[in-house]
Amino acid sequence: MPIVKFLFGVLGIAGVIYVSLCGWLWFAQRRLMYLPCPALGVTPDAFGVVYEDVWIPTDGAGQLHGWWLPANSGNDLTILYLHGNAGNVSSNLGKALQLRSLGASVLTIDYRGYGQSSGPFPTEQRLYEDALAAWRFLQVEQGVMPQHLVIYGHSLGGAIGIELASQVPHLAGLVVEASFTSMADMATLSQYNRWFPVRQLLTQRFESITKVNRLKAPTLYLHGLADASVPAVMSEMLYQATGGPKSLWLVPNADHNDLPDWAGEEFEQRLRQFLQNYVLAKH
């Protein structure tokens, strides 16, 4: 019957289009997740802060660019700052300087594909390798012992920080700001989930929720209650699943990138309290 053949033809074409779109989403997902900016804007010079450009080799191809911000004087702590999925070290400099104001030296890095770091384009595994390379640099070049290292990760950097913290024994502490339980959980919140099997298509998974029960280091979770990008309940879930010493601070009115602004002076106070109670008390 002509009408049946026509309908089957339409369904066949629709099926080909749908499968093609699934294939595009599978191939394009890294470009949708990782949003690097190559151009550096402001540098620490603009704030009168002494710093050093550092170049860190990785186990794979390429090298990382970062800024080493030594403390003038302080508590012998070093903070490795891991930024989120967008921008580069210059667009995240404000947070790095806030962390330095705690009396710690700070290393902030760009992952491969970001800022002045070389390629190739990021993958989940490469991001983990980049964080590990930064830690090795701190060990070898700066003489940082794990018990003097605090990892601070924002958003995607939080997931990277959780992975690194699970690999570094005797770590002093971990701070995770506005991060997520897993990329699959994030994908189900996206517009693509209405039409596509996003969980099955994901290759970049960042399964933080399955890793935090292995954490030994004291961990502080921060999240804005008005976060429109990553729901604050995800930090609550990470907190509940964390095995080691832990704290949770939910900041009213704060969105994904402005938590320190809404927290004001309490941001520094809370971090100092965390360091004093969980990190410095052990020194």
Side-chain angles (χ1 to χ4, degrees):
M1 296 173 60
I3 187 66
V4 173
K5 290 183 179 179
F6 173 76
L7 290 175
F8 273 110
V10 170
L11 289 173
I13 293 172
V16 169
I17 293 173
Y18 183 77
V19 170
S20 297
L21 289 173
C22 286
W24 171 84
L25 193 57
W26 187 84
F27 280 107
Q29 62 185 271
R30 289 193 296 133
R31 299 287 173 176
L32 297 173
M33 289 181 193
Y34 311 130
L35 305 172
C37 177
L40 295 184
V42 66
T43 72
D45 273 332
F47 299 91
V49 173
V50 174
Y51 76 102
E52 179 185 348
D53 278 301
V54 296
W55 301 93
I56 303 171
T58 65
D59 287 341
Q63 62 179 350
L64 311 179
H65 170 254
W67 287 331
W68 170 247
L69 310 171
N72 289 328
S73 62
N75 46 35
D76 295 325
L77 289 180
T78 294
I79 298 176
L80 172 59
Y81 179 66
L82 303 170
H83 65 68
N85 71 317
N88 55 46
V89 288
S90 65
S91 50
N92 292 276
L93 178 57
K95 182 70 65 62
L97 294 179
Q98 283 182 302
L99 298 178
R100 183 177 176 272
S101 71
L102 299 173
S105 297
V106 176
L107 174 65
T108 177
I109 63 162
D110 270 328
Y111 319 114
R112 280 173 289 178
Y114 285 75
Q116 294 185 350
S117 296
S118 63
F121 197 78
T123 66
E124 179 181 3
Q125 186 57 40
R126 286 178 192 142
L127 291 169
Y128 294 154
E129 292 170 1
D130 294 347
L132 187 58
W135 158 231
R136 288 174 179 163
F137 168 84
L138 287 171
Q139 276 186 302
V140 175
E141 300 298 329
Q142 302 297 338
V144 176
M145 301 295 289
Q147 58 267 31
H148 293 153
L149 176 68
V150 175
I151 299 169
Y152 191 117
H154 174 249
S155 193
L156 179 68
I160 300 168
I162 287 170
E163 170 66 20
L164 180 59
S166 70
Q167 303 296 321
V168 178
H170 312 301
L171 181 70
L174 170 67
V175 182
V176 179
E177 179 189 342
S179 199
F180 46 82
T181 49
S182 71
M183 193 60 77
D185 291 341
M186 287 296 296
T188 59
L189 300 176
S190 73
Q191 59 182 343
Y192 299 104
N193 189 53
R194 297 180 58 189
W195 309 104
F196 301 103
V198 290
R199 283 183 175 269
Q200 289 70 35
L201 292 172
L202 274 178
T203 61
Q204 314 295 293
R205 305 200 64 86
F206 297 97
E207 297 280 359
S208 295
I209 193 66
T210 67
K211 302 173 185 177
V212 293
N213 66 331
R214 304 194 301 268
L215 293 177
K216 305 297 184 186
T219 303
L220 171 63
Y221 294 99
L222 314 174
H223 215 120
L225 287 172
D227 193 326
S229 300
V230 180
V233 67
M234 290 195 175
S235 278
E236 295 183 76
M237 294 170 68
L238 290 170
Y239 168 78
Q240 292 294 339
T242 296
K246 57 192 178 181
S247 299
L248 172 67
W249 181 32
L250 302 177
V251 181
N253 304 313
D255 201 347
H256 192 63
N257 293 311
D258 62 2
L259 185 149
D261 297 331
W262 283 99
E265 293 181 359
E266 192 176 0
F267 178 75
E268 183 175 323
Q269 293 169 2
R270 289 272 186 160
L271 289 177
R272 287 187 183 277
Q273 182 180 20
F274 170 74
L275 295 177
Q276 188 61 51
N277 292 349
Y278 290 98
V279 178
L280 297 175
K282 298 187 298 184
H283 286 198

